[in-house]
Amino acid sequence: GRTWLVWLARPRAKRPGKIDKVPYYISGQPRSGTQGTPADVAALASFDEALGAFERGNYSGIGRAMLGGELTALDFDKCINDKNEIDPAKRALVEGTYAEKSPSGRGLRAFYRGKLEDGKNHDVNVEVFHASGFVTITGDRINGADIIEMPEVTRAQIVTLLAKKEHSPKTDSVREPA
């Protein structure tokens, strides 16, 4: 379907070393306005069109607009170490379905059939995309699996992770004045 777009990496002004992935339609216009409207959907591309725009060299990558259809994407940041080892707990959550490395090579992305509400929890580096946003696609697969129906046990674990609060040394400690 026409759910594809391209994206450009832009350095984050306030967080050196971090990048924003800015979505664009293949027309060259930044994706803007309300996602999922007829105008937004009409400007999205087929996979082949998005890949062609990327291969012409103007963009950093391709992505899939999440419009609330049958797919849910899971996005786990900072779960692949310098030795290319994937955190076992995160790997277990993507077992059996299509999963790939994120553009940084440090994160994991997986797709399941089925619906799970959009959500994010930066404390545990988990994001769920279903009805909004877009997900970058690298093709850097970690398995040979096709997209499967989300198992109930996985769904329950993701819901639990989204609700989890971690104690962060950044916010829990009082800084001494310099």
Side-chain angles (χ1 to χ4, degrees):
R2 299 186 67 80
T3 55
W4 295 88
L5 42 74
V6 286
W7 60 273
L8 271 176
R10 295 269 188 243
R12 268 194 204 169
K14 294 182 178 156
R15 297 191 56 199
K18 289 276 183 195
I19 63 160
D20 282 323
K21 298 172 195 89
V22 182
Y24 283 81
Y25 301 116
I26 63 166
S27 67
Q29 295 296 311
R31 187 181 191 202
S32 62
T34 305
Q35 295 177 11
T37 61
D40 176 58
V41 173
L44 294 171
S46 70
F47 175 81
D48 289 339
E49 289 166 343
L51 192 59
F54 166 68
E55 286 172 345
R56 285 191 289 278
N58 304 326
Y59 298 99
S60 307
I62 66 169
R64 187 182 191 284
M66 301 303 289
L67 300 169
E70 68 169 51
L71 287 185
T72 292
L74 304 180
D75 185 20
F76 303 115
D77 290 336
K78 302 179 193 131
C79 63
I80 303 175
N81 68 17
D82 290 339
K83 294 183 188 148
N84 209 25
E85 297 162 334
I86 299 169
D87 174 272
K90 300 281 172 36
R91 185 171 193 128
L93 291 170
V94 305
E95 208 52 58
T97 199
Y98 177 92
E100 62 174 37
K101 291 181 186 176
S102 65
S104 70
R106 298 276 181 232
L108 207 50
R109 183 91 20 75
F111 286 91
Y112 280 106
R113 278 203 294 284
K115 296 173 181 161
L116 186 59
E117 229 174 271
D118 292 340
K120 63 174 83 170
N121 183 339
H122 291 300
D123 286 352
V124 292
N125 298 311
V126 174
E127 268 188 277
V128 176
F129 294 90
H130 175 70
S132 68
F134 81 102
V135 181
T136 60
I137 304 293
T138 63
D140 189 1
R141 298 176 75 119
I142 64 156
N143 62 29
D146 288 328
I147 299 172
I148 63 167
E149 194 73 31
M150 186 181 292
E152 281 308 313
V153 63
T154 303
R155 178 181 301 277
Q157 287 172 306
I158 296 296
V159 169
T160 300
L161 274 176
L162 288 172
K164 193 172 193 173
K165 286 290 164 218
E166 296 276 308
H167 292 292
S168 163
K170 285 182 204 146
T171 55
D172 290 352
S173 62
V174 176
R175 278 214 165 137
E176 291 297 317

